Amino acid sequence: MSTSGLFSEEHSAEVVAASFADTPDPRLRQVLTSLVHHLHAFVKDVELTEEEWAVAIDFLTRTGQLSDEVRQEFILLSDVLGVSMLVETINHRSGGTATESTVLGPFHVVESPPRALGDDIALDGKGVPCLVSGRVTGPGGEPLAGASVDVWQTNEDGFYDVQQPDVQPAGNLRGMFTADGDGRFWFRSVVPRYYPIPDDGPVGQLLAATGRHPYRPAHLHVIVAAPGHRTVTTHVFVADSPYLGSDAVFGVKESLVREVPEVDDPARAAELGLANPFRTLTVDLSLLRDDRVQPGAP
């Protein structure tokens, strides 16, 4: 009997990868083969002990046990390891010609409440008032009339409405807007605040063990879509927020950081229906046409 195909430390990855040779789906075969090679290389590189292996299995088991229809601890793990952002970036390459994307995050709702241009989405009236305005354009700068702009953010205490159903009104700091004929949109809100990701589970233990904090810098979430163009899910980050350089989920991209200057103009504030002084956030968004998606992006 030939023993050339038997397991050994030297050829472990090759032996296991060979077991996938008859996988009907070529993409599945490619992914599993690469995964095995990388996993085995990792184990050999660190010379993983049996005790460490058991700890890892327990960690992953507890991560799965904590996940449910409300909380997805595995996605949180992917986030803090930078995998979520890497997958997002690979799958939404823009070649520098469109607004860069970021992760969706766990607090988006399927249907944001429809709002009229100029509406105030801060339903509880708390926080530093802010005028948010912007324009949606195509890759050539052409206005995208009727584009949909879905936004959501935290309140002044760093919580989303779904985290505080007994404190915040339903739909607080959320809205679905439709850009006007020139691709422009505007609404009233408050300046978002930085906040921690959930850190009371295995992922939080991992962050603590590695000396990492759980915080995300202040940001506004945006999903912008227009017919014939590629939808973009992104953030706009507040330039003076803490943690811009150490976002727990690595979501910050330089092109998405915006100044939020203060305006002290009582007449303008009264015209807008905002308390004076207020701050302004400009969110200009550019979309790729479907037929101009960069090579390599599905």
Side-chain angles (χ1 to χ4, degrees):
M1 180 184 70
S2 172
T3 60
S4 60
L6 297 182
F7 193 93
S8 68
E9 180 177 336
E10 292 77 11
H11 303 292
S12 63
E14 290 78 4
V15 170
V16 176
S19 72
F20 301 128
D22 295 329
T23 303
D25 185 334
R27 175 61 173 170
L28 178 60
R29 182 172 63 251
Q30 177 192 11
V31 170
L32 289 177
T33 300
S34 179
L35 176 65
V36 165
H37 277 281
H38 283 84
L39 280 177
H40 284 234
F42 159 72
V43 172
K44 294 173 184 179
D45 180 47
V46 302
E47 296 195 331
L48 198 69
T49 68
E50 291 177 324
E51 291 77 14
E52 291 166 339
W53 177 83
V55 168
I57 294 298
D58 176 69
F59 175 84
L60 294 175
T61 300
R62 290 186 291 112
T63 298
Q65 290 170 339
L66 190 59
S67 300
D68 55 29
E69 65 276 4
V70 176
R71 176 168 178 168
Q72 232 303 346
E73 192 77 357
F74 263 113
I75 289 181
L76 197 63
L77 177 60
S78 173
D79 291 346
V80 303
L81 294 178
V83 176
S84 299
M85 272 301 299
L86 181 57
V87 172
E88 178 76 24
T89 301
I90 289 173
N91 282 270
H92 295 275
R93 296 175 179 133
S94 68
T97 60
T99 299
E100 291 191 280
S101 64
T102 57
V103 293
L104 178 66
F107 299 111
H108 180 250
V109 296
V110 176
E111 294 185 3
S112 293
R115 311 283 191 195
L117 295 176
D119 275 358
D120 191 347
I121 66 173
L123 305 182
D124 57 4
K126 299 178 180 178
V128 177
C130 183
L131 174 67
V132 181
S133 61
R135 192 174 186 227
V136 184
T137 61
E142 65 278 14
L144 297 182
S148 65
V149 183
D150 186 0
V151 299
W152 67 104
Q153 65 171 83
T154 61
N155 66 3
E156 62 175 347
D157 297 319
F159 292 100
Y160 294 90
D161 60 338
V162 294
Q163 292 177 286
Q164 296 182 310
D166 298 328
V167 176
Q168 297 188 46
N172 192 38
L173 296 168
R174 297 181 185 272
M176 176 69 78
F177 294 90
T178 300
D180 68 9
D182 198 31
R184 298 188 183 279
F185 64 93
W186 62 93
F187 59 90
R188 292 168 290 164
S189 185
V190 296
V191 179
R193 189 180 188 274
Y194 61 89
Y195 63 89
I197 62 174
D199 62 350
D200 57 342
V203 172
Q205 294 171 357
L206 173 64
L207 293 179
T210 55
R212 287 175 55 185
H213 67 74
Y215 284 93
R216 300 214 62 205
H219 56 272
L220 172 73
H221 290 266
V222 183
I223 299 177
V224 58
H229 294 75
R230 187 165 187 177
T231 299
V232 169
T233 299
T234 192
H235 297 8
V236 180
F237 294 91
V238 177
D240 61 1
S241 173
Y243 308 112
L244 279 175
S246 60
D247 183 3
V249 307
F250 306 99
V252 179
K253 296 180 178 178
E254 187 174 357
S255 68
L256 302 178
V257 179
R258 298 285 188 277
E259 297 290 340
V260 189
E262 183 177 270
V263 175
D264 187 357
D265 185 338
R268 178 63 173 155
E271 178 185 352
L272 294 170
L274 291 170
N276 190 67
F278 60 95
R279 296 175 73 176
T280 60
L281 174 59
T282 301
V283 186
D284 289 331
L285 303 158
S286 177
L287 302 183
L288 286 174
R289 286 191 288 272
D290 282 342
D291 59 355
R292 292 190 59 187
V293 174
Q294 296 297 309

